Amino acid sequence: MHILLGLYFARDNQFEKAAIEARYAGNLLSGEWSAEGQFDDPALRVLLAALWMSCGNWDDARVDLRRASLLSPKYEDIAILSELNNSPQGMTIILGGPGAEPILNANMNINFIRGLRNLGFSYSGRKSYLTWKEKNSRSGQLSPELTTEAWHQRHLTRDNAIHELVEDSKYFRKMSASALKEGTRGGAKITAAVILGSLMVAAGGGLAYAGVAGHSVEVAAAGIILIAVGIQKAADLTTKAIKETSIDYNEDMDISKEYRFVRFLPEYLWVTDSHTKQFQRQGWENRSESIRLVKPFGKIPVKIGYFSDSIKE
């Protein structure tokens, strides 16, 4: 939030206020400000570097770029950028992906109730390569540099810790009520299946006995077949009842539909050292541009954009 507020101030040419927000953000990333400990992240560091650049402070921006490079050494472009003595002409950051979707990720751990309330996240961004070109005829290709998966996990950890006692108590009551409801419903279904199967087995046994007593092979065979069908039918209905009960129970206990935070975050970032490049998804040369970019702002121009880059497109 400090980074977002700082970028707003920078865009409004209020650079002193923007620098104050940058310092707040830097202190939070460098210190252990919560019971869950320090949280440092390369994507946040790059965004903070962009904020410092917009304030005209390249030396401070380099500090955060170096930190991002240490946290994610595989991204060589960020390391190269951090070693520049003089600031580049500008910077462009494109936020990508439609946002993570929370999904139920039930598992067992020391805290039984907490384990059932664990969430996971599914991502539908393509992580496409972008092609770019500039007026000076330079061109190239850009890959998504950094993911934001750690943001989602951190928020989930904090959210669980803050609401742990209250939410666990509420969730335990909900789990107990759902288990009782589905147990009763599932038990009734299983009982009905067993009764139906038993009746079919009894009827088959009667037919088989009558066939043997009357020396009728056909009747005896029909009775045996009915016994087999009865046993199989009871087994099938019992399996179906257990499956339906499990599905209904999971539906009751799935809190992923109530979790909203991650829907408003990108999934990854494209980063480049210029504010004058034009971008396009690779292979989309003959299609209209769908990458939205704001006008450059700041003392060292920074341009920020968004591209959904969704698999569902």
Side-chain angles (χ1 to χ4, degrees):
M1 293 304 297
H2 285 297
I3 292 173
L4 289 176
L5 185 57
L7 290 170
Y8 167 79
F9 283 136
R11 191 177 179 186
D12 198 42
N13 295 325
Q14 300 183 59
F15 299 114
E16 290 185 6
K17 291 183 177 180
I20 291 172
E21 298 302 326
R23 291 190 185 93
Y24 277 133
N27 289 337
L28 288 174
L29 288 173
S30 299
E32 296 188 12
W33 50 270
S34 72
E36 291 73 38
Q38 182 183 8
F39 177 69
D40 206 348
D41 177 77
L44 287 175
R45 287 286 183 173
V46 169
L47 288 171
L48 182 54
L51 174 55
W52 279 122
M53 288 177 66
S54 69
C55 295
N57 297 358
W58 173 240
D59 288 338
D60 289 311
R62 287 182 69 191
V63 170
D64 289 302
L65 289 171
R66 286 197 194 102
R67 182 60 183 164
S69 178
L70 288 173
L71 291 170
S72 260
K74 64 179 180 179
Y75 298 115
E76 296 180 359
D77 290 346
I78 294 175
I80 293 172
L81 189 60
S82 71
E83 295 303 321
L84 295 177
N85 291 323
N86 299 317
S87 70
Q89 290 184 340
M91 175 181 277
T92 299
I93 297 177
I94 301 174
L95 311 177
E101 286 289 332
I103 56 174
L104 182 65
N105 183 23
N107 56 64
M108 301 295 291
N109 63 13
I110 295 174
N111 184 335
F112 176 67
I113 306 303
R114 175 63 54 204
L116 290 177
R117 291 211 302 116
N118 280 348
L119 290 177
F121 303 101
S122 64
Y123 303 90
S124 57
R126 291 176 180 268
K127 292 188 176 180
S128 299
Y129 283 83
L130 302 182
T131 57
W132 59 266
K133 60 181 179 180
E134 288 189 289
K135 293 180 180 179
N136 59 7
S137 299
R138 290 177 61 214
S139 62
Q141 184 174 275
L142 195 63
S143 63
E145 291 278 309
L146 301 163
T147 71
T148 62
E149 294 178 14
W151 301 4
H152 308 143
Q153 293 299 330
R154 174 65 172 191
H155 180 268
L156 184 58
T157 299
R158 293 268 297 151
D159 187 58
N160 278 347
I162 291 170
H163 301 290
E164 183 169 350
L165 293 178
V166 175
E167 291 301 318
D168 276 356
S169 176
K170 289 164 57 179
Y171 196 78
F172 181 75
R173 291 198 300 271
K174 183 177 180 182
M175 187 188 75
S176 300
S178 180
L180 179 61
K181 180 187 72 174
E182 296 303 334
T184 302
R185 184 186 300 175
K189 291 179 180 178
I190 292 171
T191 300
V194 171
I195 290 173
L196 177 60
S198 298
L199 289 174
M200 293 179 70
V201 169
L207 277 177
Y209 178 79
V212 172
H215 303 287
S216 174
V217 177
E218 291 81 4
V219 174
I224 293 171
I225 291 173
L226 187 56
I227 291 173
V229 170
I231 293 172
Q232 184 61 48
K233 188 67 173 178
D236 290 344
L237 290 175
T238 299
T239 301
K240 182 180 179 182
I242 293 172
K243 184 177 180 180
E244 289 177 350
T245 299
S246 176
I247 292 172
D248 292 341
Y249 178 78
N250 287 335
E251 183 69 21
D252 284 344
M253 304 314 298
D254 185 359
I255 64 167
S256 64
K257 294 173 289 188
E258 303 170 9
Y259 190 80
R260 293 287 180 263
F261 177 86
V262 294
R263 299 178 192 277
F264 304 103
L265 293 177
E267 297 178 25
Y268 40 83
L269 283 65
W270 291 275
V271 183
T272 187
D273 62 346
S274 173
H275 65 288
T276 59
K277 294 175 179 176
Q278 295 180 335
F279 300 91
Q280 209 165 39
R281 181 197 284 175
Q282 191 176 39
W284 274 30
E285 288 74 9
N286 298 320
R287 298 181 62 174
S288 60
E289 183 61 75
S290 60
I291 301 173
R292 295 186 291 274
L293 294 161
V294 302
K295 293 181 179 180
F297 61 89
K299 294 181 179 179
I300 302 174
V302 171
K303 186 161 62 173
I304 296 177
Y306 172 72
F307 181 35
S308 66
D309 194 31
S310 175
I311 293 173
K312 299 175 182 178
E313 289 182 350

